[in-house]
Amino acid sequence: MLSLRANKSIQDLSWRPTVRRHSETSVTGKFSWKITHLVPSYRPPQKQRALVKAVVSRNGDNNKSSSAAEQVQVNQDSEPVSKSTSKDGIDVKAVITIRKKLKEKLSEKIEDQWESFIIGIGQGILIQLISQDIDPVTKSGKSIDSFVRGWMPKPSNHPNIVEYAASFTVPHDFGLPGAILITNYYGKEFFLREIIVHGFREGPLFFPGHTWIHSRNANPESRIIFRNEVYLPSQTPAGIKDLRREDLLSIRGNGRGERKPHERIYDYAPYNDLGAPDKSKELARPVIGDQERPYPRRCRTGRPPSKSDPSFESRIEKPHPVYVPRDETFEEIKQNTFSAGRLKALLHNLIPSIAASLSSTDIPFTCFTDIDKLYKVGFVLSNEEQKEVTENPFLGNLMNQVLTVGEKLLKYEIPDVIKRDRFAWLRDNEFARQAIAGVNPVNIELLKEFPILSKLDPAVYGPAESAITKEIIEEELHGMSVEEAIQEKKLFLLDYHDLLLPFMEKMSSLPGRKAYASRTIFFYNRTGHLLPIVIELSLPPTSNSPQNKRVFTHGNDATTHWIWKQAKAHVSSNDAGIHQLVNHWLRTHACMEPYIIATHRQLSSVHPIYKLLHPHMRYTLEINALARQSLINGGGIIEASFSPGKYAMELSSAGYSKWRFDMEALPADLIQRGMAVEDSSNPNGIKLVIEDYPYAADGLLIWSAIKELVESYVKYYYSDVNSVTADIELQAWWSEIKNKGHFDKRNEPWWPNLKTKEDLSGILTIMIWIASGQHAAINFGQYPFGGYVPNRPTLLRKFIPHESDPDYEKFIHNPQQSFLSSLPTQLQATKVMAVQDTLSTHSPDEEYLGQIHELQGHWICDNEVVKLYKKFSAKLEEIEEIIKKRNKDSRLKNRCGAGIPPYELLRPSSGPGVTGRGIPNSISI
């Protein structure tokens, strides 16, 4: 790690008890002794010239660089400066705002009082103003420093906000400060909201913080806080040019050393931390992110290698946190909301676990009433069960806290998919509607050629041609030929055959898992309705069945009708797995992570593109780290609840093999899937093949608004023809994304160039769309659609019976029981419902697209840029009204009608909770 060392030597610090100097604020006893002996008392030498040195971490150690280019000499008066009326200087005051915890323990409140005392007497925080102008002697920015001391006469309006001040007398020729070095001499970190410098004739100067300032005990290097100005690298004022470089170097990892919680180091690693081979051979998992299993890179933590295999990183389990750079962690409100969600998930998972342990079996659903009870009654424990549970030493304390008088525990909210019409999920038109207006509307494609052919090796996977014949399709087309239907763009396909078939044998060998590779054909009829007409379910070929494929249609009798239901359930299960592992986790969460890491490593915080992207990076690394710890890890929730089981991340890697950055642009994706055609007369240059395609129709509005903002923003800052290619930080950023962040795809020819403003605008629009609109569309509908298990089972436990199967008679006798017994068990279902409920929840501190939040507002220092954002916000308000009107338009059958829930996943605004709408700026859940 490279960072800035504070300008005080260790000899300048003496450690002495100071509590007696202010006895009325002290505490007594042993705790007081500990505090007073941890507070450094600073005795500054007179007019010392200090060095601020770059220190590069190698093998986790701090080794001083001998390069003269890595030293910045700062001329400063080390004596704290008091306010002066001297004609030789300007009196200025730096007001520093610190945020406290919302809820504090008694010990923390006492510690805060002590902190206020130490800072108040000028022994806690050192502030150094660094001028934009060069000192002719040192050849670096002019500098002056002072300790923060005293209290503001007017307390803050917010109880958790504290303000302090540091006074300076700066020479008339000092110029404007462009940066501040801040050194924390107190014993613990603090959260810096902002620093405002008053006294210069240009008015108050704002230095945005919104960052944790580590203690000098943890790291002796000072932090750099830049003023809220925007500079391309070539435009950086001379006085802070070296600091810009040093600040970037200070947060770049070098692939070595274990990361500490207080650090802000960004680096790359493959997904070699998902398995736990030291715990059990059954929990060993392959490395995801190599030549065999390509994948984007994650944020490196540097934990020690596994004892059983050094190529794997050792695991760290809850409640211990996985490292992310300090400023990437959840803020207190978000943490409390997420913790509440985790508690809710724990309780939901726990109750069926108890029931399973008491009955020594994992109970299947036996009738639809069992499912309805999840929403109407909640979980109920009898007196005997309560007694057994509360006497359990592990569960007793927890359960005593949550059991109610009525012995009922938490119950689920009714999901939207059955709230208006509890039988809608049974109908074919609802099954089809969810392919274009559900939680996974991004896989359906136009059927362009017939017959349908596989691209898999026929020597391994059997004949390439699908078992779906022309005759089978035409029976469902009411007199239209296949050729006519293809020509008129009436046939559509949901094809998971090639992605899933290589995994079928392994998946179906897992206990309680049975799956097929699926293809589904939809017909867009003359009345404007999309309907499923044929389903093909395939298994790998065997010696007895070289063409191991079954084809289903809805039929006209009871038997084929129930078989058709089971076939649709298998398609839905496949759709749920592909949605979660490829479209949701991979294409948004995992692919966004390298963009965030590269942005911090290569773009200075004063770079215009950093400021543009910053709102779209919030919380993503933290939520991804939590996912690696509990969701996508070996034995985690995803493996336990979805069909691929232990092969889940290998399937996700297979999905990455088909991933292309340029095709993540919404218009390009729609054209590639045949769901739109090029049309220059329409906005975005395309026309939808199905006009009533809610995800695409609303998504294009959001895409267009983002694109307009980005193009205007880029044009404003990159006015010269060669300004994009001349931007060394920007070019390094794009190179690192391709060559490090997406290392396994680094040689692909489809990566866009970065030479022009148009190139840059296109790249940034894709990134912001992924973080905002795309993630919202495929995340916040998880519980509204998946919360009702029969509608969207995440796994199935039985194959569809053949007439020759022993279970076929049971199916004929009780088809409902056969269907329910193939669904996830009650434990499996409630597990995934709890997770989907948590993942579909908006936090109270959510920051939504188009809303200029406090930090973003402080960073925007240019009125022209403010106008761009206001225009963007106004555009999104218009889009909100358009979507509301569309959801009331009776002509749009996929979003309006009897029992049809409106399509609101791409409505920009939302309140907290599971609302099924709202577009956050970033992937924050």
Side-chain angles (χ1 to χ4, degrees):
M1 183 189 75
L2 183 152
S3 52
L4 297 174
R5 193 175 288 280
N7 66 333
K8 311 299 173 193
S9 66
I10 194 66
Q11 290 83 2
D12 296 333
L13 294 174
S14 63
W15 299 85
R16 56 193 175 111
T18 58
V19 68
R20 295 176 184 172
R21 296 172 55 189
H22 203 65
S23 59
E24 65 268 27
T25 62
S26 67
V27 292
T28 58
K30 187 176 180 180
F31 185 65
S32 172
W33 185 90
K34 285 185 177 181
I35 292 180
T36 60
H37 286 74
L38 287 176
V39 177
S41 177
Y42 172 60
R43 296 172 178 172
Q46 298 293 320
K47 296 184 178 179
Q48 175 187 7
R49 180 186 298 272
L51 288 177
V52 182
K53 294 187 177 180
V55 182
V56 181
S57 169
R58 296 183 177 86
N59 297 317
D61 297 322
N62 288 338
N63 300 317
K64 295 180 181 179
S65 171
S66 59
S67 170
E70 292 182 343
Q71 297 183 4
V72 183
Q73 291 192 349
V74 182
N75 184 19
Q76 53 203 334
D77 182 354
S78 299
E79 189 72 20
V81 180
S82 61
K83 187 172 182 178
S84 170
T85 57
S86 170
K87 296 180 180 179
D88 297 328
I90 305 169
D91 293 335
V92 300
K93 179 178 288 186
V95 177
I96 176 172
T97 304
I98 295 173
R99 189 185 70 202
K100 303 290 186 180
K101 290 181 68 174
L102 294 173
K103 296 181 179 179
E104 292 186 311
K105 300 176 182 177
L106 178 60
S107 60
E108 291 173 327
K109 291 181 179 178
I110 295 172
E111 196 171 351
D112 283 345
Q113 290 178 352
W114 181 252
E115 176 185 359
S116 296
F117 168 67
I118 294 302
I119 294 174
I121 62 175
Q123 295 189 353
I125 302 173
L126 180 69
I127 296 290
Q128 296 171 263
L129 302 183
I130 309 297
S131 174
Q132 294 181 162
D133 297 341
I134 287 285
D135 186 312
V137 177
T138 65
K139 306 301 181 185
S140 55
K142 299 173 184 178
S143 173
I144 191 166
D145 71 7
S146 174
F147 269 93
V148 172
R149 62 173 68 241
W151 294 267
M152 294 296 291
K154 293 182 179 180
S156 169
N157 294 327
H158 302 282
N160 65 319
I161 300 298
V162 181
E163 295 177 328
Y164 300 101
S167 297
F168 304 82
T169 301
V170 300
H172 290 291
D173 63 349
F174 183 80
L176 290 177
I180 287 176
L181 303 186
I182 183 167
T183 310
N184 176 13
Y185 284 93
Y186 187 63
K188 67 174 186 178
E189 65 180 5
F190 63 82
F191 188 85
L192 174 68
R193 286 190 69 196
E194 63 192 27
I195 301 174
I196 301 177
V197 178
H198 301 269
F200 289 94
R201 65 181 181 181
E202 287 78 5
L205 304 178
F206 186 82
F207 293 77
H210 209 75
T211 182
W212 289 95
I213 305 296
H214 58 262
S215 167
R216 196 171 186 272
N217 295 344
N219 182 357
E221 283 75 38
S222 302
R223 281 289 307 281
I224 307 170
I225 308 295
F226 292 102
R227 201 169 88 232
N228 66 328
E229 292 290 339
V230 177
Y231 305 108
L232 295 176
S234 61
Q235 300 167 342
T236 311
I240 60 171
K241 183 171 288 187
D242 286 335
L243 291 183
R244 178 172 183 152
R245 176 178 175 272
E246 301 293 350
D247 189 48
L248 277 175
L249 291 175
S250 71
I251 58 178
R252 282 184 204 158
N254 57 12
R256 301 176 183 176
E258 183 174 359
R259 301 275 61 93
K260 306 298 189 297
H262 69 271
E263 292 181 326
R264 300 167 56 245
I265 306 300
Y266 295 81
D267 210 344
Y268 301 97
Y271 283 71
N272 63 348
D273 64 338
L274 300 179
D278 291 345
K279 183 183 291 187
S280 166
K281 289 184 179 180
E282 291 299 315
L283 293 177
R285 298 293 181 267
V287 174
I288 306 296
D290 57 19
Q291 188 172 1
E292 183 180 355
R293 299 178 183 88
Y295 219 63
R297 294 305 186 257
R298 63 167 175 97
C299 185
R300 182 182 177 277
T301 65
R303 292 195 302 269
S306 165
K307 295 177 182 178
S308 56
D309 189 336
S311 63
F312 296 96
E313 189 173 89
S314 58
R315 289 280 299 170
I316 184 167
E317 304 295 348
K318 293 185 300 185
H320 304 291
V322 176
Y323 167 82
V324 294
R326 185 65 182 96
D327 291 341
E328 303 295 332
T329 56
F330 288 166
E331 294 184 23
E332 192 176 354
I333 294 176
K334 174 71 170 181
Q335 184 62 57
N336 291 341
T337 303
F338 191 77
S339 295
R342 288 172 62 188
L343 176 61
K344 188 175 180 181
L346 170 66
L347 293 174
H348 281 312
N349 295 343
L350 191 60
I351 306 313
S353 297
I354 295 166
S357 65
L358 293 176
S359 61
S360 302
T361 183
D362 189 3
I363 305 168
F365 294 108
T366 57
C367 60
F368 284 99
T369 304
D370 290 342
I371 302 173
D372 293 341
K373 285 179 180 178
L374 299 177
Y375 319 108
K376 294 181 179 180
V377 179
F379 296 102
V380 180
L381 294 182
S382 67
N383 290 332
E384 288 186 9
E385 288 172 331
Q386 283 192 49
K387 182 178 179 182
E388 289 191 49
V389 169
T390 53
E391 288 178 356
N392 184 310
F394 175 72
L395 301 174
N397 290 334
L398 173 65
M399 298 312 299
N400 280 328
Q401 294 175 37
V402 299
L403 285 169
T404 65
V405 176
E407 301 174 0
K408 294 180 181 178
L409 292 161
L410 295 175
K411 61 182 180 180
Y412 289 99
E413 297 294 326
I414 299 176
D416 282 354
V417 72
I418 60 166
K419 185 179 291 185
R420 295 171 180 237
D421 182 353
R422 62 176 301 189
F423 301 110
W425 68 277
L426 285 166
R427 293 192 286 269
D428 285 352
N429 59 348
E430 176 62 19
F431 178 84
R433 190 187 76 85
Q434 290 183 31
I436 56 177
V439 69
N440 189 42
V442 298
N443 282 112
I444 190 169
E445 59 185 307
L446 183 71
L447 181 61
K448 300 175 183 177
E449 297 178 350
F450 197 84
I452 303 167
L453 300 176
S454 169
K455 296 180 181 178
L456 297 175
D457 184 354
V460 178
Y461 297 105
E465 189 166 325
S466 167
I468 300 175
T469 65
K470 178 180 176 182
E471 290 73 22
I472 292 174
I473 295 177
E474 289 181 346
E475 285 181 10
E476 308 295 328
L477 297 186
H478 308 293
M480 182 181 287
S481 69
V482 168
E483 292 80 8
E484 289 173 326
I486 290 176
Q487 185 177 0
E488 295 183 23
K489 296 182 171 58
K490 296 292 185 181
L491 292 178
F492 296 86
L493 179 67
L494 197 61
D495 192 350
Y496 297 136
H497 178 276
D498 285 11
L499 180 58
L500 288 176
L501 192 61
F503 292 90
M504 281 301 98
E505 188 173 352
K506 294 188 290 187
M507 286 168 55
S508 293
S509 68
L510 296 172
R513 310 287 169 96
K514 300 300 176 185
Y516 303 91
S518 62
R519 289 188 178 106
T520 307
I521 294 181
F522 299 86
F523 176 51
Y524 189 59
N525 64 26
R526 289 184 172 90
T527 64
H529 290 89
L530 191 68
L531 295 171
I533 57 173
V534 184
I535 293 174
E536 178 190 64
L537 301 179
S538 303
L539 293 171
T542 64
S543 56
N544 295 329
S545 301
Q547 178 94 340
N548 205 354
K549 303 172 182 178
R550 298 179 67 183
V551 177
F552 305 89
T553 60
H554 53 75
N556 297 306
D557 61 83
T559 301
T560 55
H561 186 70
W562 273 103
I563 292 285
W564 175 248
K565 276 186 176 60
Q566 292 197 35
K568 288 195 296 181
H570 275 280
V571 173
S572 295
S573 176
N574 287 345
D575 193 70
I578 299 300
H579 161 260
Q580 195 66 265
L581 294 165
V582 178
N583 298 329
H584 180 213
W585 169 255
L586 166 66
R587 291 175 60 187
T588 63
H589 284 260
C591 284
M592 195 69 196
E593 187 152 343
Y595 311 151
I596 295 170
I597 297 170
T599 299
H600 284 284
R601 285 167 54 93
Q602 298 296 342
L603 299 182
S604 167
S605 61
V606 296
H607 196 289
I609 302 308
Y610 179 94
K611 291 185 182 291
L612 176 69
L613 289 177
H614 188 270
H616 308 290
M617 304 189 292
R618 184 176 185 241
Y619 291 155
T620 303
L621 296 190
E622 171 82 341
I623 197 65
N624 285 5
L626 289 168
R628 298 201 312 274
Q629 190 176 41
S630 303
L631 288 179
I632 63 171
N633 59 302
I637 296 294
I638 298 299
E639 288 192 358
S641 306
F642 286 79
S643 286
K646 63 188 290 186
Y647 306 106
M649 287 303 290
E650 292 181 60
L651 177 62
S652 189
S653 170
Y656 183 63
S657 298
K658 308 296 182 183
W659 177 88
R660 289 179 51 157
F661 178 85
D662 58 334
M663 290 295 107
E664 293 301 286
L666 178 59
D669 171 62
L670 293 171
I671 290 173
Q672 180 189 43
R673 291 191 282 122
M675 301 304 292
V677 294
E678 295 185 12
D679 185 343
S680 58
S681 65
N682 282 317
N684 297 297
I686 65 172
K687 179 182 179 181
L688 294 178
V689 172
I690 298 177
E691 181 184 354
D692 187 12
Y693 183 1
Y695 159 76
D698 293 357
L700 286 170
L701 294 177
I702 303 296
W703 170 271
S704 179
I706 294 171
K707 183 172 181 282
E708 183 179 346
L709 169 68
V710 170
E711 288 177 344
S712 300
Y713 187 94
V714 168
K715 182 179 179 180
Y716 182 75
Y717 285 108
Y718 291 89
S719 54
D720 297 337
V721 175
N722 299 319
S723 53
V724 170
T725 54
D727 187 334
I728 57 174
E729 288 183 6
L730 190 68
Q731 294 298 325
W733 168 78
W734 185 234
S735 175
E736 185 164 295
I737 285 171
K738 295 183 294 183
N739 296 309
K740 288 188 176 181
H742 286 272
F743 179 81
D744 301 322
K745 295 276 190 176
R746 64 193 182 280
N747 295 321
E748 296 288 353
W750 41 253
W751 284 105
N753 293 317
L754 183 52
K755 296 180 179 179
T756 66
K757 290 178 287 188
E758 291 74 23
D759 295 339
L760 177 57
S761 297
I763 290 167
L764 293 172
T765 302
I766 289 174
M767 290 181 180
I768 294 173
W769 161 252
I770 291 170
S772 57
Q774 180 72 355
H775 179 258
I778 59 178
N779 179 74
F780 292 106
Q782 289 191 75
Y783 185 77
F785 287 98
Y788 188 67
V789 180
N791 179 66
R792 196 171 176 77
T794 54
L795 62 84
L796 287 170
R797 299 187 297 130
K798 294 182 179 181
F799 287 128
I800 298 175
H802 285 272
E803 290 185 12
S804 58
D805 292 340
D807 287 342
Y808 189 77
E809 284 301 319
K810 292 181 179 178
F811 159 69
I812 293 295
H813 179 70
N814 192 338
Q816 175 180 294
Q817 176 64 36
S818 177
F819 176 79
L820 288 171
S821 66
S822 69
L823 296 179
T825 64
Q826 293 192 33
L827 173 59
Q828 290 169 329
T830 51
K831 265 188 178 183
V832 77
M833 286 167 67
V835 172
Q836 290 173 333
D837 181 68
T838 301
L839 296 182
S840 301
T841 300
H842 289 293
S843 172
D845 73 333
E846 198 81 87
E847 296 183 355
Y848 294 97
L849 194 67
Q851 298 175 1
I852 300 179
H853 300 276
E854 179 184 17
L855 177 63
Q856 189 179 4
H858 288 165
W859 279 13
I860 301 172
C861 57
D862 190 300
N863 287 333
E864 291 302 315
V865 177
V866 170
K867 290 178 183 178
L868 296 181
Y869 275 99
K870 287 184 176 179
K871 183 179 179 182
F872 179 57
S873 298
K875 184 69 173 178
L876 289 173
E877 289 177 4
E878 291 178 13
I879 291 172
E880 180 111 15
E881 294 304 314
I882 292 172
I883 292 173
K884 287 180 183 178
K885 290 179 181 178
R886 286 177 174 178
N887 285 330
K888 295 178 181 179
D889 189 340
S890 59
R891 296 171 299 174
L892 302 177
K893 305 298 184 184
N894 291 316
R895 62 203 307 160
C896 181
I900 301 295
Y903 187 78
E904 298 186 310
L905 291 170
L906 286 167
R907 269 186 61 181
S909 66
S910 173
V914 182
T915 65
R917 60 178 180 271
I919 305 177
N921 274 324
S922 61
I923 300 169
S924 58
I925 189 67

Short mmCIF file of all heavy atoms in Angstrom, two decimals, residues 3 49 83 120 203 221 235 294 324 326 349 371 414 419 435 629 715 830-831 834 839 844:
data_model
loop_
_atom_site.label_atom_id
_atom_site.label_comp_id
_atom_site.label_asym_id
_atom_site.label_seq_id
_atom_site.Cartn_x
_atom_site.Cartn_y
_atom_site.Cartn_z
N SER A 3 0.85 5.32 0.76
CA SER A 3 0.03 6.34 1.38
C SER A 3 0.90 7.42 1.95
O SER A 3 2.12 7.40 1.82
CB SER A 3 -0.87 5.72 2.45
OG SER A 3 -0.10 4.97 3.35
N ARG A 49 10.18 21.44 9.01
CA ARG A 49 9.89 21.07 7.62
C ARG A 49 9.74 19.55 7.57
O ARG A 49 10.62 18.83 8.01
CB ARG A 49 11.02 21.53 6.69
CG ARG A 49 10.74 21.16 5.22
CD ARG A 49 11.94 21.50 4.35
NE ARG A 49 12.22 22.92 4.38
CZ ARG A 49 11.65 23.80 3.55
NH1 ARG A 49 10.77 23.38 2.68
NH2 ARG A 49 11.95 25.07 3.61
N LYS A 83 -6.14 32.24 15.50
CA LYS A 83 -6.66 33.31 14.66
C LYS A 83 -5.87 34.59 14.89
O LYS A 83 -5.58 34.99 16.00
CB LYS A 83 -8.14 33.54 14.99
CG LYS A 83 -8.81 34.51 14.04
CD LYS A 83 -10.30 34.54 14.26
CE LYS A 83 -10.96 35.49 13.28
NZ LYS A 83 -12.42 35.51 13.45
N GLY A 120 -11.37 18.62 21.40
CA GLY A 120 -11.62 20.00 21.80
C GLY A 120 -10.39 20.72 22.29
O GLY A 120 -10.23 21.93 22.06
N GLY A 203 -15.38 32.58 -1.17
CA GLY A 203 -16.51 31.98 -0.46
C GLY A 203 -16.10 30.66 0.17
O GLY A 203 -14.96 30.21 0.05
N GLU A 221 -0.24 6.76 8.05
CA GLU A 221 -0.32 7.66 6.91
C GLU A 221 -1.56 8.56 6.97
O GLU A 221 -2.63 8.15 7.42
CB GLU A 221 -0.35 6.86 5.59
CG GLU A 221 1.00 6.32 5.18
CD GLU A 221 1.43 5.13 6.01
OE1 GLU A 221 0.55 4.32 6.35
OE2 GLU A 221 2.62 5.04 6.35
N GLN A 235 -5.34 18.65 -16.45
CA GLN A 235 -5.80 19.94 -15.94
C GLN A 235 -5.55 20.13 -14.46
O GLN A 235 -5.88 21.17 -13.90
CB GLN A 235 -7.31 20.10 -16.21
CG GLN A 235 -7.69 20.03 -17.68
CD GLN A 235 -9.19 19.86 -17.88
OE1 GLN A 235 -9.91 19.48 -16.95
NE2 GLN A 235 -9.66 20.12 -19.10
N PRO A 294 -14.08 -19.74 -16.81
CA PRO A 294 -13.87 -18.27 -16.84
C PRO A 294 -14.89 -17.54 -15.99
O PRO A 294 -16.02 -18.00 -15.82
CB PRO A 294 -14.03 -17.94 -18.33
CG PRO A 294 -14.91 -19.03 -18.88
CD PRO A 294 -14.53 -20.26 -18.11
N VAL A 324 -13.94 -5.89 2.76
CA VAL A 324 -14.12 -5.01 1.61
C VAL A 324 -13.46 -3.69 2.01
O VAL A 324 -13.34 -3.39 3.20
CB VAL A 324 -15.60 -4.78 1.24
CG1 VAL A 324 -16.24 -6.05 0.73
CG2 VAL A 324 -16.39 -4.20 2.39
N ARG A 326 -12.80 -0.13 3.33
CA ARG A 326 -13.58 0.40 4.45
C ARG A 326 -14.79 1.22 4.02
O ARG A 326 -15.86 1.13 4.62
CB ARG A 326 -12.67 1.25 5.36
CG ARG A 326 -13.37 1.74 6.63
CD ARG A 326 -13.73 0.59 7.52
NE ARG A 326 -14.45 1.01 8.72
CZ ARG A 326 -15.76 1.00 8.85
NH1 ARG A 326 -16.53 0.64 7.83
NH2 ARG A 326 -16.34 1.37 9.98
N ASN A 349 -36.18 -19.70 8.20
CA ASN A 349 -35.45 -20.92 7.93
C ASN A 349 -35.46 -21.84 9.15
O ASN A 349 -35.44 -23.06 9.03
CB ASN A 349 -33.99 -20.60 7.57
CG ASN A 349 -33.89 -19.83 6.28
OD1 ASN A 349 -34.84 -19.81 5.50
ND2 ASN A 349 -32.76 -19.21 6.05
N ILE A 371 -49.49 -24.58 1.51
CA ILE A 371 -48.80 -23.39 0.99
C ILE A 371 -49.52 -22.13 1.44
O ILE A 371 -48.88 -21.16 1.86
CB ILE A 371 -48.71 -23.46 -0.55
CG1 ILE A 371 -47.98 -24.74 -0.98
CG2 ILE A 371 -48.00 -22.22 -1.10
CD1 ILE A 371 -47.98 -24.98 -2.46
N ILE A 414 -48.42 -11.99 1.21
CA ILE A 414 -48.94 -12.66 0.02
C ILE A 414 -48.23 -12.07 -1.21
O ILE A 414 -48.27 -10.86 -1.43
CB ILE A 414 -50.46 -12.46 -0.11
CG1 ILE A 414 -51.16 -13.07 1.10
CG2 ILE A 414 -50.98 -13.09 -1.40
CD1 ILE A 414 -52.66 -12.83 1.12
N LYS A 419 -51.86 -12.37 -5.27
CA LYS A 419 -52.64 -11.45 -4.43
C LYS A 419 -53.94 -11.06 -5.10
O LYS A 419 -54.99 -10.98 -4.46
CB LYS A 419 -51.80 -10.21 -4.12
CG LYS A 419 -52.47 -9.25 -3.15
CD LYS A 419 -51.58 -8.04 -2.87
CE LYS A 419 -50.38 -8.43 -2.05
NZ LYS A 419 -49.57 -7.23 -1.67
N ALA A 435 -42.70 -14.36 -19.04
CA ALA A 435 -41.48 -14.39 -19.87
C ALA A 435 -41.10 -13.02 -20.39
O ALA A 435 -39.95 -12.78 -20.78
CB ALA A 435 -41.68 -15.36 -21.04
N GLN A 629 -20.14 -15.23 1.12
CA GLN A 629 -20.08 -15.84 2.45
C GLN A 629 -21.28 -16.75 2.74
O GLN A 629 -21.12 -17.78 3.39
CB GLN A 629 -19.99 -14.75 3.51
CG GLN A 629 -19.69 -15.25 4.91
CD GLN A 629 -19.51 -14.12 5.90
OE1 GLN A 629 -20.24 -13.13 5.87
NE2 GLN A 629 -18.53 -14.24 6.78
N LYS A 715 -19.63 15.03 -23.16
CA LYS A 715 -19.37 16.13 -24.10
C LYS A 715 -18.88 17.37 -23.38
O LYS A 715 -18.02 18.10 -23.86
CB LYS A 715 -20.65 16.44 -24.89
CG LYS A 715 -20.48 17.53 -25.94
CD LYS A 715 -21.79 17.76 -26.69
CE LYS A 715 -21.65 18.86 -27.73
NZ LYS A 715 -22.93 19.09 -28.46
N THR A 830 -39.35 -22.54 2.15
CA THR A 830 -39.31 -21.40 3.07
C THR A 830 -37.92 -20.77 3.12
O THR A 830 -37.79 -19.57 3.33
CB THR A 830 -39.73 -21.83 4.48
OG1 THR A 830 -38.99 -22.97 4.90
CG2 THR A 830 -41.21 -22.15 4.52
N LYS A 831 -36.88 -21.57 2.91
CA LYS A 831 -35.53 -21.00 2.83
C LYS A 831 -35.44 -19.99 1.69
O LYS A 831 -35.01 -18.85 1.87
CB LYS A 831 -34.50 -22.11 2.59
CG LYS A 831 -33.83 -22.64 3.83
CD LYS A 831 -32.72 -23.59 3.43
CE LYS A 831 -31.99 -24.11 4.66
NZ LYS A 831 -30.86 -24.98 4.28
N ALA A 834 -37.53 -16.82 2.14
CA ALA A 834 -36.92 -15.86 3.06
C ALA A 834 -35.84 -15.06 2.37
O ALA A 834 -35.74 -13.84 2.53
CB ALA A 834 -36.35 -16.59 4.28
N LEU A 839 -33.94 -10.09 -0.48
CA LEU A 839 -33.32 -9.50 -1.67
C LEU A 839 -34.26 -8.55 -2.40
O LEU A 839 -33.80 -7.73 -3.19
CB LEU A 839 -32.85 -10.61 -2.62
CG LEU A 839 -31.76 -11.54 -2.08
CD1 LEU A 839 -31.36 -12.55 -3.14
CD2 LEU A 839 -30.53 -10.76 -1.62
N PRO A 844 -34.33 1.80 3.89
CA PRO A 844 -34.77 3.20 4.06
C PRO A 844 -33.76 4.22 3.54
O PRO A 844 -34.14 5.34 3.21
CB PRO A 844 -34.93 3.33 5.58
CG PRO A 844 -35.19 1.94 6.06
CD PRO A 844 -34.36 1.06 5.16
#
